[in-house]
Amino acid sequence: MISVSQGRLQDRRPLSIIDIGSNSIRLVVYEGLARSPTLLFNEKMLAGLGRGIVSTGKLDPEAVTRSMEEFRRFRALSDQAGAEHMYVLATAAAREAINGPDFIHRAEDVLKTDIRVLSGRQEAHYSALGVISGFHPANGIAGDLGGGSLELIDINREAIGDGITLPLGGLRLQDMAKNSLVQAQKIARQELARAKLLKGGQGRVFYAVGGTWRNLARLHMEMNNYALGVMHHYEISNESAQNFLKQVARGEVEKVRGIEGVSKNRRSLLPYGAVVLQEIMTAMQPSKIIVSAQGVREGFLYSLLDAAEQKADPLISAAEELALLRSRSVHHAHDLVEWTGKAFKAFGIDETEDEARYRHAACLLADIGWRAHPEYRGRQSLNIIAHASFIGVDHPGRAYLALASAYRHDGIFNDGIAPEIKALAPPRLLERARLLAAMMRVVYLLTAAMPGVMPRLKWESRGNGALALVLPASLSDLYGERPAGRLAQLARITNRRLVLAVEGGPSVSVK
């Protein structure tokens, strides 16, 4: 019997996915089926099954042998991790090779389960679902570049439009072009001319999916000294992308800063990925490129959820889980969500849909660092939140979440907090993060981080434009200098006259 740590969600049943691609094979064990799935274990091998398939029509024999050995290991690892279900997906190389059926049969014997060999249409569909599941909302063209094929598909929120599969995977393109980048560019341009859907993407986002493009994005981060090493929702402007891709597409990848962080097996494919992306940008004219860490695997998991679960906000779901696992009281976190919403209204502060989502998530995450030493709670919380495996949030949103928690612990007037993270957020979000933190600093001193108090607090308008935070008489013992001092800080940043009062009792004007 497997012993489950209290750091795990007790109602989750692990499951695993093995993704058999043309270049890599990956095992991912998930904590359970969820709107924002958490990885328990993750391992890959760069098998190169599709290498040489253009000339031979067969899977690489050495890669087949290595894969069978790894499948045995992956099966054992999945069992060791307690996965109750294993799903195995195979894509371009396995479905197109002459010896693909024999390979699948042997693999099924080793893995002791059926393998789903995805058609190009199915692969594109699951890739689209992966993007849909990871953005709030998605609107543009998703491109999933594997070793054997490129899937392009139009996405508008939950609607999946036209799609096409093209033979432009990195390994295949390298083979077709006979290692010539000049020839690769001609082939890419010719094949992409068949993708009429790209014209409908003009001025919209291009979502880049797949390991080759993620590695290119990692190099782009390094070149630009980007502060946040989180791949999902990393954005690249057209101008920046063109200059960067031009260098890589010339085959000068070894000169690019940060190349040592890319495995040698991957490096040879980066110029071909750059060539394809260049030609997509020329044909589509997107507004920008956004990297998606969500692809076929995540789209397949998303397809297993029921309709209500699919509609859940992935950011809020993940924040809720962290609150449950790491905060002193998840009920207090829920109180904080409601109370800050009412406080924003009382102060006349408007929020966009995303700002309201971010405030909600920030409240759920506000207390996840409480076990750290008090002097390091802000720093630890900021690092956990900024680098968490969240989806459904862009990088400025991450900065909002992280800074709200950091300001809550380290002080709203501490201008030395994480300048590199602050640089990611626009002034409006920075202002909202500081404001939310100031409200948290008031109310934590009235609640001892436990639920039940906030629903009983009221904001009331007083004369001369003052706004009073009123405690019920039964909670009058919570009245004191420290919360009044924190309310004075809130008054300072909101430029409002605020009062801390007890119903039918004393009050103190703090501005």
Side-chain angles (χ1 to χ4, degrees), residues 28 30 46 61 104 183 185 243 246 268 277 292 298 310 322 336 347 349 398 418 427 435 469 473 477 500:
V28 184
Y30 297 91
L46 291 173
I104 293 297
Q183 187 63 23
Q185 189 167 40
N243 295 333
K246 189 179 296 183
S268 65
L277 192 50
S292 172
E298 293 76 19
Q310 288 180 349
L322 272 178
L336 192 59
F347 279 79
I349 298 164
R398 282 179 179 271
L435 173 64
L469 179 59
D477 287 347
L500 182 63

Side-chain angles (χ1 to χ4, degrees), residues 339 437-447 469 483 486-488 490 500:
W339 184 79
M439 291 179 176
M440 290 177 179
R441 285 170 66 80
V442 172
V443 83
Y444 266 92
L445 289 185
L446 295 172
T447 64
L469 179 59
R486 292 284 177 84
L487 196 64
L490 179 59
L500 182 63

